[in-house]
């Protein structure tokens, strides 16, 4: 049997990091098993549609490399892949359920809304009492003759229970008394999510349904629909919650939750995928760094856990740094160029700069601040920076070192890394000093800051001889 998974987002805004994890797991399981990964757009909740959200979905899958095999843009044997284009299909199966007694028309004047499984609980349903399910055939015909609007509700027998096996959470048993007669088809002819996803998953041959654990409480109703229609129930894989640092479900109130937010902050798509793969899945080893190819090879749905995963941006940042370090030099340079300030691009050897700082960059968006001192020195930096306990440097000692370095560096006939380093080393040896106490005042003098993305020699080479000597002169005057 061919494995077929799907990602079925609603075009209602940004790409939530939790939705992206669902897409990733579905993609990995399909690729691991040489199956198909399908994209389906679930736009039945017309009131919540956001303009350009479909483009956000396509862009998100494209930038992360989660290529789908079938979808609205690619076609396929079981289209259309947009739910609003499948309305006659849902009507067909709603009519079948009505004819076979598994559904009924509800004429009650109640506020309709897309039912949100996240709002459901295990407590007995105290809402709709199913009164229209007890109407006689004559009463139904009379209401229809009057042109009364109606919704179609699932008819659930309150006797008995549904038992199903979830791949992650194991066997789950739900008493039917806890289930409501959910709406399948709304007055406007659009299906609810709860109906459309069952019909589409079956007709599209989905073998493994992956979604968040908030849908567990609705799954018994889905299974009853499968059985009522005589369809095979697919494998259900409910994924654990992703929590924010406050211990609650990750939400925009707690900070960034959208893929676009993290891309704008300078995270690589590869690092984001690597990190969210670990939010619920355990590879069974100490390995934390994964390429997409690694994930396809190692991913196993049997290692998805039940426990909620805590989103830790510090860990994401660390992984991002590892992925940046792992880039080939040319690839890193192409990315860095987009973040270098114009003064840096036109005034320095940026290819050499990329080579020097690649191992220190944690987020691409950090680059402008990291290299700004090259384009312009903050001359008001405090002299106290020259004092460093570990290197045992003082204000007086730093002034002496810089005065000597100014003389020896001025005499250099060529200005490159090897020549600068050799000169500084020779000077340190002649003074019987370690390299640290010499390099520290030099780095402070030419950068004006205690933390730099590369060393003093690299900075001097990038600045060039005139600017380096000018900054040393300034520092001597400050001391």
């Amino acid at each position: 049997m061919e494995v077929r998974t799907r990602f079925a987002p609603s075009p209602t805004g940004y790409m939530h990091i939790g939705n992206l994890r669902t897409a990733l797991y579905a993609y990995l399981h399909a690729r691991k098993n040489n199956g198909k990964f399908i994209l389906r757009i679930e736009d039945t909740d017309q009131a919540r549609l956001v303009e350009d959200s479909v483009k956000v979905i396509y862009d998100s899958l494209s930038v992360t490399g989660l290529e789908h095999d079938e979808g609205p843009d690619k076609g396929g044997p079981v289209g259309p892949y947009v739910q609003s284009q499948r309305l006659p299909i849902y009507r067909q199966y709603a009519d079948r359920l009505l004819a076979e007694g598994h559904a009924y028309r509800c004429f009650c004047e109640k506020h309709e809304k897309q039912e949100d499984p996240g709002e459901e609980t295990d407590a007995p349903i105290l809402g709709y009492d199913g009164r229209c399910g007890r109407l006689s055939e004559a009463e139904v015909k009379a209401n229809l003759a009057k042109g009364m609007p109606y919704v179609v509700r699932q008819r659930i027998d309150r006797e008995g229970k549904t038992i199903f096996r979830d791949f992650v959470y194991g066997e789950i048993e739900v008493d039917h008394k806890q289930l409501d007669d959910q709406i399948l088809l709304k007055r406007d002819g659009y299906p609810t999510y709860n109906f459309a996803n069952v019909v589409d998953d079956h007709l599209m041959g989905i073998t493994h349904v992956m979604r968040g654990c908030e849908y567990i409480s609705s799954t018994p109703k889905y299974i009853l629909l499968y059985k009522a229609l005589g369809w095979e129930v697919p494998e259900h894989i409910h994924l654990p919650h992703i929590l924010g640092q406050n211990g609650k479900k990750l939400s925009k109130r707690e900070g960034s939750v959208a893929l676009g937010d993290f891309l704008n902050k300078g995270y690589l798509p590869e690092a984001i995928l690597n990190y969210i793969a670990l939010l619920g899945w355990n590879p069974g080893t100490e390995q934390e760094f994964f390429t997409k190819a690694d994930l396809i090879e190692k991913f196993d749905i049997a290692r998805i856990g039940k426990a909620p995963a805590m989103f830790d941006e510090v860990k994401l940042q660390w992984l991002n740094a590892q992925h940046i370090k792992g880039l080939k030099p040319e690839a890193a340079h192409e990315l860095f160029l987009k973040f270098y300030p114009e003064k840096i691009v036109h005034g320095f050897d940026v290819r050499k700069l990329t080579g020097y700082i690649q191992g220190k960059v944690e987020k691409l968006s950090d680059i402008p601040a990291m290299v700004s001192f090259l384009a312009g020195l903050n001359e008001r930096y405090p002299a106290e920076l020259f004092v460093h306990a570990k290197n045992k440097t003082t204000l007086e000692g730093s002034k002496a070192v810089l005065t000597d370095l100014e003389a020896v560096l001025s005499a250099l006939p060529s200005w490159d890394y090897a020549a600068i380093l050799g000169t500084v080393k020779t000077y340190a040896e002649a003074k019987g000093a370690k390299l640290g106490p010499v390099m520290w005042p030099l780095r402070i003098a030419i950068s004006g800051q205690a933390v730099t993305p590369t060393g003093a020699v690299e900075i001097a080479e990038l600045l060039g001889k005139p600017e380096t000597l000018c900054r040393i002169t300034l520092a001597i005057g400050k001391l």
Side-chain angles (χ1 to χ4, degrees), residues 386-454:
F386 288 100
V387 179
H388 192 269
K390 184 178 179 181
N391 286 311
K392 299 179 180 178
T393 57
T394 63
L395 296 178
E396 296 78 6
S398 295
K399 183 175 183 179
V401 167
L402 291 174
T403 301
D404 292 343
L405 287 178
E406 183 179 35
V408 296
L409 291 174
S410 295
L412 265 182
S414 61
W415 194 264
D416 56 53
Y417 179 87
I420 299 167
L421 179 61
T423 298
V424 176
K425 278 186 172 180
T426 299
Y427 167 75
E429 290 169 1
K431 291 291 184 178
K434 293 181 178 179
L435 204 53
V438 176
M439 288 294 189
W440 181 263
L442 175 60
R443 185 157 66 87
I444 297 299
I446 60 179
S447 71
Q449 53 195 50
V451 178
T452 56
T454 191

Side-chain angles (χ1 to χ4, degrees), residues 91-384:
R91 169 56 70 179
Q92 172 190 344
Y93 287 102
D95 288 345
R96 178 176 159 186
L97 291 170
L98 286 167
E100 296 175 2
H102 298 298
Y104 60 89
R105 295 176 177 85
C106 175
F107 301 92
C108 295
E109 291 290 336
K110 293 182 70 70
H111 176 67
E112 285 183 30
K113 67 170 184 173
Q114 177 93 5
E115 295 182 19
D116 182 359
E119 295 179 359
E120 296 181 2
T121 69
D122 291 331
I125 299 298
L126 301 176
Y128 185 65
D129 59 10
R131 70 185 67 179
C132 285
R134 298 186 289 274
L135 293 176
S136 67
E137 186 175 347
E139 289 173 311
V140 171
K141 287 183 178 179
N143 287 342
L144 291 175
K146 294 175 188 175
M148 290 180 63
Y150 64 87
V151 300
V152 176
R153 287 186 180 270
Q154 181 179 5
R155 188 189 298 276
I156 295 178
D157 185 351
R158 293 297 180 269
E159 299 300 319
K161 57 185 64 176
T162 291
I163 302 172
F164 69 98
R165 177 184 173 275
D166 180 77
F167 203 91
V168 174
Y169 290 85
E171 186 174 287
I172 296 173
E173 179 178 310
V174 177
D175 194 302
H176 289 180
K177 290 185 175 66
Q178 295 181 313
L179 305 179
D180 66 326
D181 289 355
Q182 66 177 347
I183 295 174
L184 304 179
L185 217 57
K186 296 178 283 188
R187 287 188 176 93
D188 61 6
Y190 275 80
T192 58
Y193 165 85
N194 294 321
F195 184 43
N197 88 86
V198 170
V199 173
D200 290 342
D201 284 344
H202 172 73
L203 296 182
M204 293 182 179
I206 303 303
T207 59
H208 296 75
V209 175
M210 295 190 190
R211 55 184 165 226
C213 61
E214 63 268 24
Y215 288 89
I216 288 177
S217 61
S218 296
T219 301
K221 292 183 281 190
Y222 305 156
I223 290 174
L224 289 174
L225 285 173
Y226 279 107
K227 290 181 177 179
L229 292 165
W231 295 339
E232 183 178 351
V233 179
E235 188 79 61
H236 284 91
I237 304 162
H238 287 95
L239 309 178
H241 285 309
I242 299 176
L243 306 180
Q245 292 299 307
N246 62 356
K248 298 179 180 179
K249 274 186 67 177
L250 192 65
S251 72
K252 207 167 183 65
R253 288 187 298 274
E254 307 306 321
S256 300
V257 297
L259 171 63
D261 293 339
F262 292 105
L263 293 175
N264 291 337
K265 288 165 76 171
Y267 290 102
L268 300 183
E270 301 90 333
I272 295 171
L273 289 187
N274 184 166
Y275 181 63
I276 65 174
L278 300 172
L279 295 178
W281 170 72
N282 183 341
T285 66
E286 296 300 312
Q287 182 178 352
E288 293 182 300
F289 180 94
F290 292 88
T291 62
K292 191 174 76 168
D294 293 335
L295 289 172
I296 292 172
E297 178 186 351
K298 302 289 179 65
F299 186 75
D300 184 351
I301 57 175
R303 298 201 65 85
I304 297 175
K306 302 176 186 177
M310 185 75 72
F311 190 91
D312 180 2
E313 193 167 345
V314 173
K315 184 63 173 289
L316 170 60
Q317 191 163 307
W318 176 83
L319 271 174
N320 198 57
Q322 307 313 305
H323 279 271
I324 291 173
K325 286 179 186 177
L327 290 171
K328 292 182 178 179
E330 190 59 38
H333 186 58
E334 285 186 22
L335 285 174
F336 284 26
L337 270 177
K338 300 172 185 176
F339 290 85
Y340 285 139
E342 190 174 342
K343 286 184 177 180
I344 297 294
V345 173
H346 296 299
F348 296 87
D349 184 341
V350 286
R351 193 171 294 276
K352 185 169 287 185
L353 174 59
T354 296
Y356 284 152
I357 72 172
Q358 182 178 350
K360 300 292 182 63
V361 176
E362 293 188 329
K363 301 194 306 293
L364 297 177
S365 57
D366 294 339
I367 290 175
M370 290 175 69
V371 302
S372 63
F373 72 92
L374 291 170
L377 179 71
N378 175 16
E379 297 182 4
R380 300 179 66 181
Y381 67 89
E384 288 73 21

